[in-house]
Amino acid sequence: MTGYYGEHSKVFVSVDCIVFGFDHNKLKLLIGKRQMDPGRGEWSLYGGFVREDESLIEAADRVLYSLTGLKDVYMKQVGAFGAIDRDPGERVITVAYCALINVKDYDTQLCEQHGVEWVNLDELPHLYSDHNEMVRKAITLLRRRISTEPLSFNLLPELFTLTQLQLVYEAILGEQIDKRNFRKRVKSIDFIEKTPYIDKLSSKRGAALYRFNREMFANDSYFKL
């Protein structure tokens, strides 16, 4: 470190990860009880301080990996939060990141190790400091992008039914979608492929399973649903 900027006060910089999942037809958020002061015992997002030798996204990747054990996860910056009194301990500016993962990919041992759990978004408790505001802004971001980016596939298993896909959309948008129109639009998209496999667990008659063809999407990145 140099001796520059000595006349200015120093602040801490942290990252917070807003981790969404989808399970039992519900959009869920990964939260836990804080294990440090201030705010010990309060519900909170999972985060950490940015180290001197890493960028913001590197810090977010590190924090998310330590929490989930997953790499190459969809993650977008939600924004910076810097209210003067947002942290009663020190002056802390945090940058929030939104991540989407498949709940079934998450190691339950890591869940227990970090003391976190999946909570239904519509049953979210009061969170530490401004974390509820971060979640609201993350949902707004997802709602703006879900019709023009293939976000929903990050929340689903590799093979999924059209009903599962529609339920993800409805959970994020917070409203019901016309089934007939939705399926008509989906079937017109080349990189949402119907497979020869049938799901007989969630449907007595059996429902066709689909998959998201990432290679085809990369070659034709236009998306509108």
Side-chain angles (χ1 to χ4, degrees), residues 10 42 45-46 79 87 94 110-111 129 133 192 213 215:
K10 302 296 191 294
E42 294 184 36
L45 299 173
Y46 193 82
D87 191 309
T94 194
L110 283 175
C111 189
S129 184
E133 181 185 357
I192 301 179
N213 188 320
E215 292 183 3

Side-chain angles (χ1 to χ4, degrees), residues 146-147 152 162-186 225:
I146 191 170
S147 294
S152 55
L162 294 186
T163 296
Q164 288 174 313
L165 181 60
Q166 180 174 339
L167 288 171
V168 168
Y169 270 75
E170 292 179 339
I172 291 176
L173 294 173
E175 60 185 27
Q176 289 188 328
I177 301 173
D178 182 80
K179 180 178 179 179
R180 181 177 298 178
N181 289 337
F182 180 81
R183 293 189 173 215
K184 182 178 180 181
R185 292 198 301 271
V186 168
L225 181 57

Side-chain angles (χ1 to χ4, degrees), residues 16 20 25 28 37 46 49 121 150-151 173 184 206 214:
D16 282 294
F20 289 109
N25 301 337
K28 295 177 179 287
D37 293 319
Y46 193 82
F49 288 101
L121 190 64
L151 306 183
L173 294 173
K184 182 178 180 181
R214 296 183 183 276

Side-chain angles (χ1 to χ4, degrees), residues 19-29 99-105 118-120 152 154-157 163-172:
V19 184
F20 289 109
F22 182 77
D23 195 29
H24 293 93
N25 301 337
K26 293 281 190 177
L27 191 62
K28 295 177 179 287
L29 185 69
L100 304 178
I101 69 173
N102 180 4
V103 171
K104 297 299 189 296
D105 291 338
W118 291 107
V119 175
N120 291 342
S152 55
N154 297 284
L155 297 166
L156 292 168
T163 296
Q164 288 174 313
L165 181 60
Q166 180 174 339
L167 288 171
V168 168
Y169 270 75
E170 292 179 339
I172 291 176

